[in-house]
Amino acid sequence: MYQYDEYDQKMVETRVAEFRDQVERRLSGDLTEDQFTPLRLMNGLYLQLHAYMLRVAVPYGTLSAAQMRMLAQIARKYDKGYGHFTTRQNIQYNWIQLKDAPDILADLATVEMHAIQTSGNCIRNISSDQFAGVAKDEVCDPRPYAELLRQWSSFHPEFSYLPRKFKFAVIASAEDRAAMRLHDIGIEMVRNDADELGAKFFAGGGMGRTPMIGPCVREFVPADALISYSEAILRVYNRYGRRDNKYKARIKILVHELGIEEFRRQVEAEFAHMHPLDLDPPRAELTRIQAFFAPPAYEPLPDGFDDSDPDFKLWADANLHPHKVPGYAAATISLKPVGGIPGDASAEQMDLIADLAARYSMDEVRVTHAQNLVLPNVRQADLYALWQELDAAGLAPANLDLASDIIACPGLDYCSLANARSIPIAQKLAQRLAPVERDLGELKIKISGCINACGHHHAGHIGILGVDRKGVENYQLLLGGSGAEDVSLAKITGPGFDENGIVDAVETVTNLYRKRREDGERFVDTYRRLGMDPFKEALYG
Amino acid sequence: MIILTGNDLKTGDVVWWTGDGWSRHVGHAVFVGSGEEPGGAAEIMHREEAARAVNGPYEVEATDEGAGPVPSHIKERMRAAGPSVRLDLGVQAEG
Ligand code: SF4
């Protein structure tokens, strides 16, 4: 894992001291709320439905055991004993007190963490593949590039006041586990015909009010030019992004309005101007960063483990991912117990996961955009013992990518922007579908409490969007989305449903799938083959 | 009818105007005159915010249900009670 150098540490500590002073001035009345709000948002502190909410960055979703322990400690000491892992691979605390915020940030700084750039119109936390560095199918470890982008974008003066927020995802495999093309910039590390490493750049993807799949800007940018090409895109966006209209200010609107050819022409012109200026970091800096991500000391081990316990086998079949080193596996810890709150983990669970990471996973934990956690480096021989400990703590739902593994944003239970609750819908759906979820196979259900789409409803095989109909919660049903390499945007079926009606409606469409599927088809495949009409017919008659 | 709400500056707690201060319990809230009339919502909010007794106050529609005001919109009822999925948290957990 990357470790801060003295500059990183100094930057974070200086920011904590600065924010401590700002909080004191707010509490003493020297700053008004209008003056203070942008300052607290720059430090990830929102005022939400019930209290202040702190969003802590987890760079590219990677945590050490010590960092996870600190997250548990913060939940216990300053919050109400739990945290919520988000679709941006971050963690949020829902019950923070303003007076404690500087102390929390100081505690985070002791484990090289912060909440900087988790809000505001800047470059947000860089997200990545939860299996980065261990995936069998990757062309390289994408994390050093994500770290390079993190360093470049942290406090970047030119990009601190963009037209709107800006999100990057970096992956290095053809299988997209990070919803890469639904980001403002999506980068896929690739190799060209000469086996050189480079980056395929996509721009203008996003969800929210106007969902768009990011088109390709350039097929191959040499890896050494990753930063200057990113900078060229950001410069075009910073200059021409729609600052006049908040709803049209994301880069996706600019790319759409210009058209990809014209957008590409402008980016290439900017890049041609900038690249010769030698703004990219020297190769030695990348090499320095890469050294932190060198593979840990794997032992030579054979593949294979005893899965004769049927409950363990269920979990192993669903929640393990192949590792690039024989004898190891990446194990997903599902934070989706049936009837639970998607993405929530108690302080005790976080402590246990930190402990398990130290004992079984070479000190590492990952956060997934689907609000689960991963132990990326487990010896296959240890899997059974690991599963037993997870199971005893309620952390072994065997449901990865199944119907009860639902993404749900905090919705109206916590979020002041929400129109409707998301979590109770997820709970009811999980309860309804869990008994048949193995038969249903891969099914990605994603729920958002408003059009901002933090719950990725456009990218759900089944998406649900909460709306406010004259003060009453109502839910629109969408079908056919995907955030993976078969990326597509879900379409609305028709009129919405009430809280119970939406659960029945989802069951109706899954029943139709079970009747009409062909061999090997997932729900989304059957939908794509049949089209919307039979689903509409089943729903509305 | 109108009641006033905001957040406690230091703790972030949801609070309601009681006529002589701010309470975490919506049942303690009092109805106030709306808008700019003397002693009405605007004057109270301006005075209380300037004194840092409340953060970001605003008006909320509510009805009188006998046992005190009940906010009309679900979002404000959620703020008054706590998350519907965690009945062990928020004011609702205090009985
Ligand atoms: S989608 Fe809307 S309701 Fe859900 S967390 Fe985002 S802003 Fe809040």
Side-chain angles (χ1 to χ4, degrees), chain A residues 418-464:
Chain A
N419 287 323
R421 287 172 296 165
S422 306
I423 299 166
I425 305 302
Q427 292 172 319
K428 286 181 184 182
L429 273 174
Q431 276 154 344
R432 180 77 66 90
L433 297 177
V436 294
E437 67 182 350
R438 261 159 242 293
D439 178 59
L440 289 172
E442 182 184 301
L443 178 58
K444 300 193 177 178
I445 302 178
K446 308 187 181 187
I447 310 175
S448 304
C450 81
I451 194 75
N452 289 325
C454 305
H456 294 190
H457 62 277
H458 300 294
H461 295 170
I462 295 178
I464 295 172

Side-chain angles (χ1 to χ4, degrees), chain A residues 83-367:
Chain A
H84 176 74
F85 289 97
T86 75
T87 52
R88 289 278 303 151
Q89 298 175 294
N90 293 322
I91 185 169
Q92 295 180 178
Y93 296 101
N94 295 304
W95 303 91
I96 295 301
Q97 304 202 1
L98 178 59
K99 62 185 177 54
D100 293 334
D103 291 339
I104 299 173
L105 297 182
D107 286 356
L108 285 169
T110 65
V111 291
E112 304 182 354
M113 294 186 82
H114 59 71
I116 297 162
Q117 293 181 202
T118 60
S119 174
N121 293 338
C122 54
I123 298 173
R124 304 287 189 89
N125 186 37
I126 315 286
S127 61
S128 187
D129 182 350
Q130 67 269 25
F131 300 129
V134 304
K136 248 184 174 163
D137 58 348
E138 68 187 14
V139 299
C140 70
D141 185 343
R143 290 171 303 167
Y145 298 96
E147 173 58 27
L148 203 59
L149 286 164
R150 186 194 72 81
Q151 296 193 14
W152 160 76
S153 62
S154 293
F155 299 129
H156 195 307
E158 194 178 332
F159 305 136
S160 293
Y161 295 95
L162 291 166
R164 279 291 272 144
K165 58 187 166 183
F166 203 92
K167 300 173 183 179
F168 272 78
V170 187
I171 65 171
S173 54
E175 192 179 327
D176 181 1
R177 294 175 283 261
M180 181 269 292
R181 290 190 63 191
L182 297 168
H183 283 73
D184 296 286
I185 288 183
I187 296 174
E188 180 187 347
M189 301 305 296
V190 290
R191 286 195 182 277
N192 64 9
D193 293 341
D195 204 34
E196 294 157 333
L197 192 65
K200 186 172 180 179
F201 268 80
F202 299 86
M207 291 187 252
R209 188 172 294 267
T210 318
M212 302 260 187
I213 296 169
C216 179
V217 188
R218 209 209 241 206
E219 290 284 339
F220 189 86
V221 175
D224 283 348
L226 185 96
I227 295 296
S228 53
Y229 204 80
S230 300
E231 186 132 357
I233 293 177
L234 260 300
R235 281 192 167 184
V236 171
Y237 169 55
N238 206 12
R239 201 177 308 144
Y240 298 116
R242 293 279 302 270
R243 289 177 188 271
D244 61 314
N245 183 339
K246 182 179 169 195
Y247 301 118
K248 297 196 169 177
R250 296 288 290 265
I251 192 175
K252 60 192 173 187
I253 303 295
L254 180 68
V255 173
H256 182 72
E257 287 185 351
L258 287 178
I260 183 61
E261 278 78 26
E262 174 58 15
F263 180 77
R264 182 184 295 127
R265 191 193 64 73
Q266 295 194 16
V267 169
E268 291 291 338
E270 186 65 41
F271 182 61
H273 164 71
M274 285 182 47
H275 190 50
L277 301 177
D278 224 11
L279 295 175
D280 280 287
R283 176 73 64 89
E285 178 58 10
L286 179 64
T287 308
R288 183 188 77 86
I289 291 172
Q290 276 169 327
F292 290 108
F293 297 96
Y298 294 114
E299 299 165 50
L301 294 169
D303 267 330
F305 54 92
D306 176 3
D307 61 359
S308 52
D309 179 330
D311 289 334
F312 168 62
K313 185 172 183 338
L314 272 184
W315 178 82
D317 286 348
N319 290 34
L320 296 184
H321 191 82
H323 199 288
K324 66 181 177 192
V325 177
Y328 288 82
T332 298
I333 300 171
S334 166
L335 297 180
K336 316 287 178 65
V338 173
I341 298 177
D344 274 15
S346 69
E348 292 70 32
Q349 289 177 323
M350 286 190 257
D351 267 337
L352 174 71
I353 291 164
D355 185 38
L356 295 173
R359 278 192 285 135
Y360 294 120
S361 183
M362 300 179 165
D363 217 43
E364 261 198 60
V365 188
R366 307 284 176 81
V367 184

Side-chain angles (χ1 to χ4, degrees), chain B residues 82-93:
Chain B
S84 72
V85 290
R86 287 294 303 262
L87 299 178
D88 57 325
L89 300 178
V91 169
Q92 64 193 351

Side-chain angles (χ1 to χ4, degrees), chain A residues 27 52 98 413 416 421 468, chain B residues 9-10 52 73 75 84:
Chain A
L27 290 173
Y52 294 99
L98 178 59
D413 279 293
S416 55
R421 287 172 296 165
D468 179 336
Chain B
L9 175 62
K10 238 189 235 181
R52 300 192 306 286
H73 198 279
K75 183 177 287 187
S84 72

Side-chain angles (χ1 to χ4, degrees), chain A residues 39-83:
Chain A
L39 303 176
R40 70 168 157 73
L41 288 175
M42 283 177 190
N43 292 284
L45 194 65
Y46 291 70
L47 189 51
Q48 278 290 11
L49 208 60
H50 306 294
Y52 294 99
M53 179 273 275
L54 182 69
R55 181 180 295 151
V56 177
V58 180
Y60 32 93
T62 298
L63 290 165
S64 68
Q67 289 173 327
M68 183 60 106
R69 244 175 238 122
M70 178 56 78
L71 296 181
Q73 186 182 312
I74 287 168
R76 193 177 293 115
K77 187 169 167 192
Y78 301 107
D79 203 88
K80 294 187 187 286
Y82 68 106

